[in-house]
Amino acid sequence: APAIASSTDVANNFGSIVAIANQITSLADLGCSHGSQQAVLDLVASRCQANGAAMGYLPLAGDPEDGKYSIGCFLLPPFSVIPLHGHPALHGMIRILHGSLHLRSFNWLETGGGGRRKAQLTQEGWLEAPNTSILTPIESNLHEITAGEGGALMLDVLLPDYCDDERPCNYYTPTPVEDGGTDVFYMGRRAETEIPPHIEFMEWPME
């Protein structure tokens, strides 16, 4: 991955990174060959159930010192949910490698009354593998992801990565705005005690 030094560098490199990632269609393309992809999902679902986890995550690459980027794969058992969350000042993409997922994406709007922030629903629907969805600091910056009945393997790329102080991962509950139509919502930040879902970190090869 390229060294990302500023938001301008991120924007300039993002298109190239998306083009490369769009060539990835399976775990085997990432150097992770472990039988069928459905067999991997079944193994993850079993392990998550045993450990009380909602989903698995396989770290692939990153910059732990500066947080300039992170690349990993979410392993989502059937109907598992990544709750609605934001990506402050981040560019990112998800690439479905196997299965299907339901995606709801929102754009931030101007701050609403009482300090609450408004957001507009811009995308809602099912995506099948192989398919890609991207987000920027302006477009589709909030999203909620729900795996389909067969689960899903989802490549996840963030530029830069989250940072607790500067770029925290906040979760939200949407409330419809009165007279805002069907696609405008107030976003209420959820308490830390409610989220995030428990994630089981995986290593390769899995056993």
Side-chain angles (χ1 to χ4, degrees):
I4 307 299
S6 68
S7 59
T8 300
D9 289 332
V10 170
N12 289 340
N13 285 280
F14 187 57
S16 298
I17 293 169
V18 170
I20 293 171
N22 275 337
Q23 300 176 34
I24 299 172
T25 60
S26 69
L27 285 174
D29 293 337
L30 299 169
C32 303
S33 180
H34 193 85
S36 73
Q37 296 192 106
Q38 189 60 51
V40 172
L41 266 178
D42 292 342
L43 176 61
V44 170
S46 176
R47 184 176 298 182
C48 287
Q49 184 176 18
N51 296 335
M55 64 197 66
Y57 179 77
L58 178 65
L60 297 171
D63 180 13
E65 292 187 2
D66 296 327
K68 293 177 180 176
Y69 69 95
S70 70
I71 303 172
C73 187
F74 279 95
L75 305 106
L76 303 169
F79 307 115
S80 57
V81 179
I82 302 178
L84 181 64
H85 61 286
H87 305 78
L90 305 185
H91 287 71
M93 65 163 290
I94 58 174
R95 171 76 170 163
I96 309 168
L97 304 181
H98 178 76
S100 63
L101 54 83
H102 185 267
L103 179 68
R104 287 205 304 166
S105 298
F106 298 79
N107 291 355
W108 283 116
L109 301 176
E110 294 182 356
T111 301
R116 293 181 297 175
R117 297 185 68 185
K118 291 180 182 178
Q120 184 173 27
L121 179 66
T122 57
Q123 178 184 4
E124 181 169 16
W126 286 93
L127 298 177
E128 305 280 343
N131 217 316
T132 299
S133 177
I134 65 173
L135 62 92
T136 73
I138 299 174
E139 299 290 335
S140 302
N141 193 260
L142 303 104
H143 63 202
E144 176 187 75
I145 297 168
T146 304
E149 63 179 356
L153 300 176
M154 184 185 81
L155 180 67
D156 184 72
V157 179
L158 292 177
L159 300 168
D161 197 1
Y162 288 111
C163 173
D164 289 341
D165 295 329
E166 299 177 4
R167 301 179 299 276
C169 180
N170 294 323
Y171 291 77
Y172 299 90
T173 298
T175 303
V177 174
E178 186 176 354
D179 299 327
T182 59
D183 60 351
V184 180
F185 297 82
Y186 287 119
M187 291 296 169
R189 183 174 170 184
R190 297 175 64 178
E192 293 184 4
T193 54
E194 298 179 355
I195 43 84
H198 177 53
I199 298 175
E200 180 85 0
F201 281 81
M202 306 289 185
E203 294 183 358
W204 199 266
M206 297 179 189
E207 297 180 355

